[in-house]
């Protein structure tokens, strides 16, 4: 309902933030030369990218679990309501 709007909006903001971080990581150079030293940034880029992906997955998995739970509750309610509506009422 409406009470879920801010909750979902915050999740959407966090997921968008992590996707932005992912883009920033991908935009970083794979290597860098500092003076006479060449630094290979691929391993750290990969590690950071993996962590960001895990966080996005955690947020989306939580939302998915919440939807599944909500649907299970709805189906249980519908089953109970259908059972109650099927009973004969004596005048």
């Amino acid at each position: 309902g409406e009470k879920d709007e801010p909750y979902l909006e915050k999740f959407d903001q966090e997921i968008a933030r992590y996707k932005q971080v992912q883009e920033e990581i991908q935009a970083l150079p794979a290597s860098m030369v500092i003076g006479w030293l060449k630094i290979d940034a691929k391993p750290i880029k990969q590690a950071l990218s993996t962590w960001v992906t895990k966080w996005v997955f955690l947020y989306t998995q939580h939302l998915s679990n919440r939807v599944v739970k909500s649907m299970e509750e709805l189906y249980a309610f519908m089953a109970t309501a259908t059972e109650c509506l099927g009973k004969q009422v004596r005048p």
Side-chain angles (χ1 to χ4, degrees), residues 8 24 27-28 47 50-51 58 67 89:
L8 293 175
E24 291 173 16
L28 294 172
T50 298
W51 277 105
L58 284 173
V67 167
V89 179

Side-chain angles (χ1 to χ4, degrees), residues 43-58:
I44 190 70
K45 282 180 65 171
Q46 182 61 42
L48 289 171
S49 182
T50 298
W51 277 105
V52 169
T53 300
K54 285 180 181 182
W55 276 106
V56 169
F57 175 77
L58 284 173

Side-chain angles (χ1 to χ4, degrees), residues 6-51:
Y7 177 82
L8 293 175
E9 186 176 315
K10 286 182 181 181
F11 266 80
D12 187 45
Q13 288 171 354
E14 286 301 307
I15 292 169
R17 183 173 69 96
Y18 279 110
K19 288 186 177 188
Q20 176 63 36
V21 169
Q22 180 77 9
E23 290 175 15
E24 291 173 16
I25 292 169
Q26 294 305 317
L28 294 172
S31 64
M32 180 178 245
V33 177
I34 301 174
W36 51 270
L37 185 63
K38 183 175 181 179
I39 299 171
D40 181 11
K42 285 183 259 178
I44 190 70
K45 282 180 65 171
Q46 182 61 42
L48 289 171
S49 182
T50 298
W51 277 105

Side-chain angles (χ1 to χ4, degrees), residues 71-91:
M71 292 302 295
E72 288 170 348
E73 291 171 354
L74 176 62
Y75 284 132
F77 169 77
M78 289 172 54
T80 302
T82 300
E83 183 181 321
C84 290
L85 290 173
K87 292 182 180 180
Q88 291 290 330
V89 179
R90 294 183 201 168

